[in-house]
Amino acid sequence: MQVQDISREQSAQLFDKAKNYFPGGVNSPVRAFKSVYGTPLFIERGDKAHLWDADGNEFIDYCCSWGPLILGHNNPHIREAVESQLGKGLSFGAPTRLENELAELILSNNRYIDKIRFVSSGTEAVMSAIRLARGYTQRDKIVKFEGCYHGHSDSLLVKAGSGLVTFGETSSAGVPKTFADETIVIALHDREALQQVFKDFKDQIAAVIIEGVPANNGLLIQDREYIHFLRDITKTNGSLLIFDEVITGFRLGFEGAAHHYGIQPDILTYGKIIGGGMPVGAYGASQEIMGHISPDGVVYQAGTLSGNPVAMAAGIAALSILAQPGFYEKLEQTTLAFVENLRAFIDKNQLEVQIFTIGSIFWFAFTAQQKIQRADQIDPASMERYKIMHRELLNRGIYFGPSGYEVGFISAAHTAEDLETTLIAIKESLLIACS
Ligand SMILES: *Cc1c(COP(=O)(O)O)cnc(C)c1O
């Protein structure tokens, strides 16, 4: 069924202006709609699972601000918590009761960390975790996996080339080669590669870092055995295992991917959901490891706006809801029913597309492969189909992230009616994208 393109007059005008102010017209690159059709939509407001843009178009949102909005937009509990803090001041640069409250809520419901430090973004959380791992082990090298995103700090903006073990090659200009050399990048789900790294760099590796579930380059769900293998090999070699749970923390469950896989990582990082929509990140570990952080220890890390009271208030309100029994079970059931409905449609119409899902995360892959667990298994040419689907969905009032490598999220604010409307739109869009 053909539908008309949405009007983007206001958004296009705003984007033209923005291009004078910001590189590429945006303050974070993927927002620029470079890998989908059209210009970015400028958002005016959101409520529950819905978004409205500058042209008055309404959408059901599955990007959810890239993950943080597990309770949807404009949640009344979060809004009231923020509003009641506003009258008391925005920032003090001194401790507040609110930081204790959020920490208590997290630590008493998360068996994987004893102590936590709040920062203001996921990037900062991971960057600090890497420094802590290096300070703790007194080793310099870190191992990361191709396709895992850990924010934009120097050590982690390194991608892999091909081959068994690839030395760091900067994927961003401006990262000194000497920094990149300390980052070893290997493919996910490849045991031999990791064994080789530990042989080649014996006693030099501070940490292996992995996303709880890699979800920044498609959704690359690893086998449980592989995650346990990671835990074992790092322990054997005196290296730390860092679980970057910036997406999976408070998404797969209150205890994130660590609990999903039943392992104890050495350092965990959080972001996105933890601030209820405000800028918050955090890292946590055992008493012993966290004892190395300043002012107790010698690993320095600080922040003028860390533990910001308004952000803490939003985090407390959000996480209090997530900690209630049954929250995650319900969200997961909703997501699975949604995905199963689409899978049946895909089978019936013999479309070449898979939907991968875990918790309330889902990802469309335009491929015949039943499993994708490594970045190099994604065919870049398949993104053309995503591009078409993305356009068709926008035209039908459904907002997905503007890149086929990005996952979608279902929030607790998505109603049965929202999901029903979305299923119809996705089915129509898939038929067009796959034709
Ligand atoms: C988003 C993300 C980050 C970076 O968080 P920012 O808040 O964007 O700095 C780090 N790690 C993972 C796994 C992420 O998804």
Side-chain angles (χ1 to χ4, degrees):
M1 188 187 77
Q2 284 296 326
V3 297
Q4 277 211 317
D5 283 343
I6 50 167
S7 71
R8 300 197 199 197
E9 227 170 275
Q10 294 300 318
S11 282
Q13 273 182 25
L14 288 163
F15 189 49
D16 273 344
K17 266 197 179 175
K19 280 191 277 194
N20 296 322
Y21 308 140
F22 315 115
V26 289
N27 286 300
S28 195
V30 73
R31 297 180 193 171
F33 266 49
K34 283 216 162 176
S35 48
V36 292
Y37 290 104
T39 48
L41 302 179
F42 278 62
I43 304 302
E44 289 283 337
R45 67 184 183 97
D47 192 58
K48 301 189 177 72
H50 293 238
L51 278 179
W52 286 264
D53 72 7
D55 289 279
N57 300 305
E58 180 177 349
F59 303 95
I60 305 173
D61 181 17
Y62 292 88
C63 180
C64 296
S65 189
W66 305 97
L69 304 186
I70 194 168
L71 296 168
H73 300 271
N74 196 20
N75 177 280
H77 300 283
I78 301 175
R79 189 183 64 234
E80 281 157 24
V82 167
E83 280 172 356
S84 82
Q85 182 56 38
L86 289 179
K88 299 179 189 164
L90 298 182
S91 179
F92 312 114
T96 63
R97 187 187 296 275
L98 294 163
E99 291 156 81
N100 284 2
E101 245 178 74
L102 184 56
E104 264 163 35
L105 182 56
I106 294 170
L107 296 176
S108 63
N109 289 289
N110 184 334
R111 75 199 79 174
Y112 301 98
I113 52 175
D114 297 333
K115 271 195 177 166
I116 194 164
R117 171 64 67 82
F118 291 122
V119 293
S120 300
S121 70
T123 294
E124 248 189 286
V126 181
M127 184 183 79
S128 310
I130 296 285
R131 185 178 304 135
L132 173 56
R134 285 173 165 157
Y136 180 80
T137 59
Q138 304 194 356
R139 296 174 177 185
D140 287 342
K141 294 208 183 297
I142 56 169
V143 177
K144 80 173 279 290
F145 296 95
E146 183 180 4
C148 281
Y149 179 67
H150 300 292
H152 64 87
S153 70
D154 283 346
S155 302
L156 295 163
L157 270 188
V158 183
K159 66 173 185 190
S162 55
L164 184 66
V165 176
T166 311
F167 266 99
E169 169 194 302
T170 57
S171 65
S172 165
V175 177
K177 186 174 178 306
T178 47
F179 287 22
D181 285 348
E182 302 298 334
T183 304
I184 302 155
V185 186
I186 58 172
L188 281 162
H189 226 270
D190 183 341
R191 292 180 188 224
E192 285 80 44
L194 195 54
Q195 283 160 341
Q196 191 63 45
V197 165
F198 275 110
K199 235 185 237 159
D200 291 350
F201 301 99
K202 199 170 163 38
D203 300 333
Q204 296 176 55
I205 297 169
V208 173
I209 181 165
I210 188 168
E211 288 182 55
V213 176
N216 276 290
N217 197 303
L219 184 60
L220 308 172
I221 301 172
Q222 307 294 294
D223 291 345
R224 199 183 177 78
E225 295 72 39
Y226 179 71
I227 301 296
H228 282 262
F229 160 77
L230 279 186
R231 177 61 286 184
D232 295 342
I233 195 171
T234 42
K235 196 171 259 169
T236 309
N237 287 279
S239 302
L240 302 188
L241 177 62
I242 303 176
F243 243 38
D244 179 356
E245 299 234 36
V246 171
I247 284 188
T248 49
F250 311 102
R251 169 64 66 179
L252 293 193
F254 203 91
E255 295 176 295
H259 192 57
H260 176 81
Y261 289 114
I263 65 155
Q264 172 67 62
D266 297 299
I267 306 178
L268 294 99
T269 59
Y270 301 102
K272 299 196 168 105
I273 291 175
I274 196 173
M278 296 290 286
V280 180
Y283 59 100
S286 63
Q287 298 270 9
E288 196 234 336
I289 293 177
M290 289 305 274
H292 287 67
I293 293 291
S294 182
D296 282 350
V298 291
V299 177
Y300 195 73
Q301 185 274 309
T304 301
L305 294 170
S306 291
N308 175 269
V310 184
M312 293 290 108
I316 294 163
L319 268 45
S320 305
I321 298 171
L322 306 186
Q324 286 165 13
F327 176 87
Y328 289 102
E329 286 77 5
K330 183 153 179 265
L331 195 54
E332 187 168 341
Q333 279 164 17
T334 303
T335 307
L336 201 57
F338 177 80
V339 169
E340 290 296 351
N341 184 309
L342 288 170
R343 282 178 178 157
F345 175 83
I346 288 164
D347 278 352
K348 191 169 133 235
N349 291 277
Q350 300 185 332
L351 303 178
E352 201 168 272
V353 54
Q354 314 288 332
I355 309 174
F356 297 98
T357 184
I358 187 165
S360 46
I361 310 174
F362 64 85
W363 178 57
F364 284 77
F366 291 86
T367 175
Q369 295 172 79
Q370 300 286 321
K371 253 190 175 184
I372 299 190
Q373 296 180 300
R374 295 165 47 152
D376 64 3
Q377 291 168 333
I378 303 173
D379 177 7
S382 68
M383 293 300 156
E384 280 307 306
R385 299 201 179 276
Y386 182 82
K387 219 173 137 172
I388 297 169
M389 178 170 84
H390 184 267
R391 179 193 63 205
E392 295 301 320
L393 285 175
L394 279 185
N395 289 343
R396 288 166 174 77
I398 309 298
Y399 190 93
F400 271 35
S403 160
Y405 289 99
E406 301 287 352
V407 295
F409 299 99
I410 290 185
S411 79
H414 284 87
T415 64
E417 196 191 338
D418 289 333
L419 295 166
E420 195 50 48
T421 307
T422 307
L423 284 172
I424 294 167
I426 292 179
K427 288 172 187 175
E428 288 177 5
S429 303
L430 279 178
L431 288 177
I432 295 170
C434 293
S435 64

